[in-house]
Amino acid sequence: QITLRESGPTLVKPTQTLTLTCTFSGFSLSTSGVGVGWIRQPPGKALEWLAVIYWDDDERCSPSLKNRLTITKDTSKNQVVLAMTNMDPVDTATYYCAHNTYYLGNNHFDYWGQGTLVTVSS
Amino acid sequence: SSELTQDPAVSVALGQTVRITCQGDSLRTYYASWYQQKPGQAPVLVIYGRNNRPSGIPDRFSGSSSGNTASLTITGAQAEDEADYYCNSRDFSANHGFGGGTKLTVL
């Protein structure tokens, strides 16, 4: 049974760096075709894809946020970490991590964490 | 990231069929996946690939694609299908993107 859980601060100040950890179980990030992604959702707004990292260490970040995002994995700890620099109130959102299945050039997010609300405020 | 466009809102009478669409250039090459999100809950995958349903998703949900448009069809909509629906796909740079979401109302 695959589970994912996001953890990190619920409140950050403007200009600070947000670091979120996704701790998962039920799969290995060293298995071919597996990835873990981050998606966020501001209150009342749409989902926004942020980043994904794959079993083969390939990683992709949203072009609009690329300069602010870093995604890393620790396979031995079953964790994926997302860092976002220079936080702003507009970054207030629920942040989700999700298991990604990659096959034949397509992928989908088939298991999601419950999400963690991060508020950016001084 | 992948640029995907959805209608903001759609309504359907109880028991009728509704189609929710998603448009984007990347859909000519890559499949869309579809997610259902109810208030206060995380999204749930309902359709992926050509037309695949994860375990536990009712068979009234189906997917299709033509040209630059992917569609999610609910045949015989139920009250519990009222939710926000999002499409997702990758683009040619292997970046992802979500559509703006469609709010489905079941009348």
Side-chain angles (χ1 to χ4, degrees), chain B residues 54-69:
Chain B
S55 175
I57 301 302
D59 60 5
R60 62 178 179 271
F61 289 88
S62 63
S64 62
S65 185
S66 178
N68 72 335
T69 301

Side-chain angles (χ1 to χ4, degrees), chain B residues 87-100:
Chain B
C87 60
N88 168 264
S89 183
R90 57 163 288 178
D91 65 14
F92 304 103
S93 299
N95 292 314
H96 281 260
F98 284 90

Side-chain angles (χ1 to χ4, degrees), chain A residues 1-67:
Chain A
Q1 156 205 9
I2 289 176
T3 64
L4 304 100
R5 185 184 76 251
E6 306 87 353
S7 60
T10 58
L11 179 66
V12 297
K13 297 183 187 309
T15 76
Q16 287 187 335
T17 294
L18 170 68
T19 300
L20 293 173
T21 300
C22 177
T23 302
F24 56 84
S25 63
F27 67 95
S28 171
L29 201 36
S30 60
T31 300
S32 178
V34 172
V36 171
W38 287 93
I39 301 100
R40 71 178 178 180
Q41 185 173 38
K45 295 188 177 181
L47 300 173
E48 179 185 12
W49 173 74
L50 299 178
V52 63
I53 191 164
Y54 296 104
W55 79 100
D56 59 358
D57 296 329
D58 188 23
E59 55 185 81
R60 294 285 185 268
C61 293
S62 171
S64 62
L65 296 168
K66 192 176 182 67
N67 292 338

Side-chain angles (χ1 to χ4, degrees), chain B residues 2 6-7 9 17-18 21 33 35 46 57 62 64 66 76-77 79 84 86:
Chain B
S2 181
Q6 297 181 241
D7 291 329
T17 297
V18 63
T21 60
S33 51
Y35 304 83
V46 294
I57 301 302
S62 63
S64 62
S66 178
D84 294 327
Y86 294 91

Side-chain angles (χ1 to χ4, degrees), chain B residues 10 20 35-39 79-85 102-106:
Chain B
V10 171
I20 298 170
Y35 304 83
Q36 177 193 69
Q37 187 181 35
K38 296 180 179 179
E80 61 263 33
D81 299 334
E82 186 163 289
D84 294 327
Y85 290 86
T102 297
K103 182 177 181 61
L104 176 66
T105 300
V106 180

